[in-house]
């Protein structure tokens, strides 16, 4: 999964940008580097899995500004902030905007790589969950209204007898609905149903 | 004469022998011989008179030329009224000086035969367009003469309306015979008066007298004036005046021989060289027969008695042959002696005449015989009060008491301490005060007695000015000796003429070691003139010149000095040397150095402050390369760990890492250079390089604010002499200022302009302009005050220190409000003889 991800590098310093690129490539990451926040916003595709390493002090839009803008847009790409000086204010602001990590220069190369790897994995897992939720939702849409009603009681852990009593249906009818639900949702047990039920 | 004598002796010898051998035949010969002898004696007489006449003529000329004339000034200018008595040479000098400016050739007063009567006349001669215009005016009385003078002066200056201030005639020469000299006195534009003087005829008669021994001597002017000696008979004088023809004097003299012969006289004459335009003639009239009885014989005797007498005479003549040459020699010696006496007297008179103002003549007893007008003025006595009294009344003790002894001693021993030499003596005035006098005494030997003539000049004014000069000299000497500045007079070849104590103290040398030596040897221990010599410049330019250098003492120690040289000129405006005024500036140099050091310390403290404020930016600036290095090294590690065989990648990563390490090193070096505490030192450097370096240092500060720097550097900028670090500090302050001013701006309008250029006034200028909120004109001045700040942060000392730094470099830092933002600019003087830096 990680091998399909891209590390997005945004840094105005040429040397730093190139060195980060080289570092990421050395461990086999795919890298896309941008010299400024604006360039990144123009060239970034949110559907691409990956993570973002971001310098705070940059001419034009700063790293924090970029991070906040991405958060507002609902873009959930993991962000690793790389800063020369980690003052409390900056750190808090970054974390509130959902930064996954905050690295202070100078950092250990290995640590950066680990953090990048973690971020990528987190992105990948998030994307996996999102995909699963999306297919479950599609299956739920196939259920009839009575079937969704029955499923609501099922995920609450109620028995067929209790559901039939509350809905004023026969136990037989409830079992039929239950059979349809399990088939439509390709579920083996009530536990599977629980995973698909959107809270 | 020896030729004549020998011939004569030979003739006499022949005569003697002939008379003894043939007495009968000698009668006629005797008559002839006695006649011839008479002729010879007369010739001798003529010769003697001629010699006397020549001596007299010479004496007369000398006297008139050198004697003090009775000068009278008729002046139009009240300032010239007090014309003093002056010798003839003075009149001549005035004439020479004024002649070119006026048309008058001569003005004189004389007696003239006019309408058959003799009257005094004022004669004026003037050149008019090359023609000589002559005017004569009778002067019967003084008042008349005065009026006539005014009229004619008025006419001669061609201004009938002119109002004259003419002094009254003091002493008239009119009506008295004499040699008159006069000259008009002119300024460049107008005649201011007439000076006239004359030698009176009685003075001339005296001279004529002195050389006459029974001869009648006449001095005749071309104009007809006749002067004669006392021995001249009235008969002769009348004859002269009646017969003399002024129109043809030479013809008269040449033609009057027969007439005089009838009167039993002979005459010798010659022209006399007297000053003035007239010709003068000296005539000697004598009786040629006065010695004839020495040679004459009675003719009534018989031939035999004649023959006997002739025989006797023959013997006498033969005796004479032996005696005559001796006689003649003695006579010639006496003539020469008389001539020498006359000359000597003329010389003495000349000396007396030119020596002094007052003339007092005394006899051997000290009795005053002559006391002139100038003497009256000096002593305050009238002539009548002094004449006949003893001269000691004019003397102060001890001379008063001793004078008689002085004269006595001189007369007995011939030993004098005063005759022939000037000396200064105190004179006693009538009012009891004394006056310093310069005294010359000359002696007049009249044979039987001696006269002494004293010439006295009042020298009190001279004494006063000498005293004033001495005091002034003393004042200046005191000033020069006591002044704490070395003062030295040096000639154009750098030889020390004179120096003062302060200069000696400065160089730890006694004064005697300076005079006559070369200044560059003594002052700076050099073997040739110093390159920087301000004296050479002062002499070349004629203006004061300065230099700062070091004096070198004999022990090798040095003293910092400031030299100011002033040129010294001779009468022609030619520089003949210079005066050097030398100041010991060791102390001043030391305090200047201390001030520089203090300023450097302050500047250093301010730099540390600046760096503190820039810490964040600097950390970033350092962290960038460090982080990059970490990345490259980690990348290499990962590559190696992965086991991939790609050495090119490793090589490149390592190269990149090394490059970033150097970058980090440069940042640190710049910082160290900036905050280090270097000795304040000025070197020749280019401003552009400083600007670029500071810009690198400031980039991390500018980056977060996205400030764009626009740099325009003049590539041909001349070098400056400055302390590089301090100038960088100024630039840091100005750029930081601009950055902070623009931090408030929107991101799209943050521009910093940096410019260097050469200014017209021999300076280079650096301009730092921002596009911040700008300042008011009042703030533009306030920002340079310490602890003034328009910003929330900072001490507000940066600009105040910056201004002090720039001013210490001889430049000027100022702020100017501009349309959008603020502009700071500073200037630095161009380093002399610089090439584009």
């Amino acid at each position: 999964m990680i091998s399909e991800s891209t590390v997005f590098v945004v840094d105005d310093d040429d040397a730093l940008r190139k060195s980060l690129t080289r570092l990421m490539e050395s461990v086999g990451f795919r890298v896309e580097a941008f010299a400024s926040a604006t360039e990144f916003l123009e060239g970034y595709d949110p559907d691409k899995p990956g993570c973002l390493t971001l310098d705070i002090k940059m001419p034009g839009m700063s790293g924090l500004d970029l991070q906040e803008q991405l958060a507002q847009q609902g873009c959930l790409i993991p962000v690793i902030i790389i800063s020369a000086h980690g003052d409390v204010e900056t750190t808090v602001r970054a974390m509130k905007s959902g930064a996954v990590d905050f690295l202070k220069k100078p950092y250990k190369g290995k640590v950066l790589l680990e953090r990048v790897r973690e971020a990528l994995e987190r992105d990948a897992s998030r994307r996996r969950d999102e995909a699963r939720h999306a297919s479950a939702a599609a299956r739920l849409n196939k259920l009839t209204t009575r079937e969704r009603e029955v499923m609501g009681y099922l995920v609450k852990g109620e028995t067929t007898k209790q559901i039939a009593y509350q809905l004023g249906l026969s136990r037989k009818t409830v079992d039929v609905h239950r059979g349809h639900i399990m088939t439509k949702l390709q579920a083996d047990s009530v536990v599977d149903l629980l995973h698909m039920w959107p809270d | 004469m020896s030729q004549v004598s020998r011939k004569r002796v030979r003739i006499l010898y022949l005569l003697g022998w002939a008379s003894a051998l043939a007495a009968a035949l000698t009668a006629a010969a005797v008559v002839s011989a006695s006649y011839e002898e008479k002729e010879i004696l007369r010739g001798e007489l003529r010769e003697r008179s001629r010699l006397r006449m020549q001596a007299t003529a010479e004496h007369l000329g000398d006297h008139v030329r050198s004697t003090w004339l009775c000068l009278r000034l008729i002046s139009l200018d009240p300032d010239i009224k007090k014309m003093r008595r002056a010798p003839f040479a003075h009149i001549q000098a005035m004439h020479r000086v004024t002649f070119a400016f006026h048309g008058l050739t001569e003005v004189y007063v004389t007696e003239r035969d006019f309408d058959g009567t003799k009257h005094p006349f004022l004669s004026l001669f003037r050149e008019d367009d090359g023609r000589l215009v002559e005017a004569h005016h009778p002067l019967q009385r003084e008042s008349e003469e005065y009026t006539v003078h005014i009229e004619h002066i008025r006419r001669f200056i061609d201004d009938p309306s002119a109002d004259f201030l003419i002094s009254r005639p003091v002493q008239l020469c009119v009506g008295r015979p004499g040699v008159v000299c006069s000259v008009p006195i002119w300024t460049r534009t107008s005649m201011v008066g007439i000076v006239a003087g004359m030698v009176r005829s009685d003075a001339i008669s005296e001279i004529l007298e002195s050389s006459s021994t029974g001869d009648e001597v006449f001095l005749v002017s071309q104009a007809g004036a006749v002067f004669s000696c006392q021995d001249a008979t009235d008969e002769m004088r009348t004859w002269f005046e009646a017969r003399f023809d002024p129109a043809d004097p030479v013809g008269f003299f040449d033609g009057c021989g027969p007439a005089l012969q009838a009167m039993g006289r002979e005459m010798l004459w010659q022209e006399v060289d007297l000053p003035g335009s007239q010709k003068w003639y000296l005539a000697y009239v004598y009786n040629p027969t006065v010695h004839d009885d020495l040679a004459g014989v009675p003719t009534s005797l018989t031939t035999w008695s004649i023959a006997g007498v002739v025989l006797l005479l023959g013997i006498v003549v033969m005796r004479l042959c032996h005696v005559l040459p001796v006689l003649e020699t003695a006579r010639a010696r006496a003539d020469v002696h008389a001539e020498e006496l006359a000359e000597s007297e003329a010389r003495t008179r000349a000396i007396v005449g030119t020596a002094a103002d007052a003339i007092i003549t005394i006899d051997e007893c000290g009795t005053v015989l002559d006391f002139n007008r100038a003497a009256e003025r000096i002593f305050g006595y009238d002539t009548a009060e002094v004449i006949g009294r003893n001269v000691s009344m004019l003397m102060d003790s001890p001379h008063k008491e001793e004078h008689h002894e002085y004269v006595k001693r001189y007369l007995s021993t011939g030993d004098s301490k005063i005759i022939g030499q000037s000396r200064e003596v105190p004179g006693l005035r009538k009012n009891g005060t004394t006056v310093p006098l310069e005294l010359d005494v000359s002696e007049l030997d009249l044979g039987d007695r001696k006269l002494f003539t004293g010439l006295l000049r009042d020298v009190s004014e001279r004494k006063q000015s000498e005293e004033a000069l001495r005091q002034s000299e003393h004042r200046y000497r005191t000033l020069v000796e006591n002044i704490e500045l070395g003062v030295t007079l040096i000639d154009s070849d750098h030889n020390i003429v004179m120096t003062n104590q302060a200069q000696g103290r400065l160089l730890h040398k006694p004064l005697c070691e300076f005079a006559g030596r070369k200044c560059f040897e003594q002052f700076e221990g050099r073997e040739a003139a110093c390159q920087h010599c301000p004296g050479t410049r002062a002499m070349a330019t004629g203006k004061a010149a300065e230099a700062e250098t070091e004096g070198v003492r004999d022990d090798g120690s040095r003293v910092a000095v400031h030299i100011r040289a002033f040129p010294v000129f001779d009468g022609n405006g030619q520089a003949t040397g210079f005066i050097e005024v030398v100041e010991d500036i060791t102390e001043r140099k030391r305090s200047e150095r201390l001030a520089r050091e203090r300023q450097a310390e302050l500047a250093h403290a301010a730099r540390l402050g600046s760096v503190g404020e820039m810490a964040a930016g600097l950390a970033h600036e350092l962290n960038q390369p460090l982080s990059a290095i970490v990345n490259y090294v980690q990348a290499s590690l990962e590559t190696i760990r992965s086991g991939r065989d790609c050495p090119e990648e490793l090589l490149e990563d390592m190269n990149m890492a090394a490059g970033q390490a150097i970058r980090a090193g440069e940042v640190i070096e710049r910082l160290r250079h900036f905050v280090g505490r270097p000795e304040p030192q000025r070197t020749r450097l280019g401003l552009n390089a400083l600007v670029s370096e500071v810009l690198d240092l400031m980039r991390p500060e500018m980056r977060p604010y996205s400030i764009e720097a626009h740099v325009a550097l003049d590539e041909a900028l001349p070098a400056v002499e400055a302390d590089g670090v301090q100038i960088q500090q100024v630039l840091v302050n100005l750029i930081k200022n601009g950055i902070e001013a623009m931090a408030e701006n929107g991101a799209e309008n943050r521009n910093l302009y940096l410019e260097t250029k050469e200014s017209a006034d021999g300076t280079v200028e650096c301009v730092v302009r921002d596009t911040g909120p700008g300042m008011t004109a009042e703030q533009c001045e306030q920002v340079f005050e310490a602890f003034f700040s328009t910003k929330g942060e900072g001490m507000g000392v940066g600009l105040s220190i910056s201004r002090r730094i720039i001013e210490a470099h001889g430049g000027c830092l100022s702020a100017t409000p501009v349309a959008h933002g603020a502009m700071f600019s500073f200037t630095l003087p161009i380093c002399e003889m610089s090439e584009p830096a």
Side-chain angles (χ1 to χ4, degrees), chain A residues 88-102:
Chain A
V88 178
E89 194 191 342
T90 316
T91 315
V92 170
R93 193 178 150 201
M95 285 306 183
K96 273 187 175 171
S97 305
V100 291
D101 241 314
F102 194 98

Side-chain angles (χ1 to χ4, degrees), chain B residues 667-718:
Chain B
V667 173
I668 291 169
E669 182 54 32
R670 269 204 302 275
L671 191 65
R672 197 192 62 76
H673 183 57
F674 185 66
V675 296
R677 189 199 287 267
E679 281 299 303
Q681 59 175 18
R682 304 230 170 138
T683 50
R684 196 163 155 270
L685 45 86
L687 193 56
N688 290 346
L690 292 182
V691 171
S692 304
E693 215 171 302
V694 169
L695 212 54
D696 285 341
L697 195 65
M698 296 306 288
R699 276 195 202 281
E701 293 292 304
M702 291 156 70
R703 190 177 298 114
Y705 302 109
S706 314
I707 289 167
E708 202 173 336
H710 306 266
V711 185
L713 303 179
D714 180 356
E715 293 302 323
L717 200 67

Side-chain angles (χ1 to χ4, degrees), chain A residues 51-54 67 70 76-81 98-102 119:
Chain A
C51 75
L52 171 63
T53 66
L54 191 56
Q67 192 198 0
L70 287 173
L76 297 174
I77 183 170
V79 177
I80 300 169
I81 300 283
V100 291
D101 241 314
F102 194 98

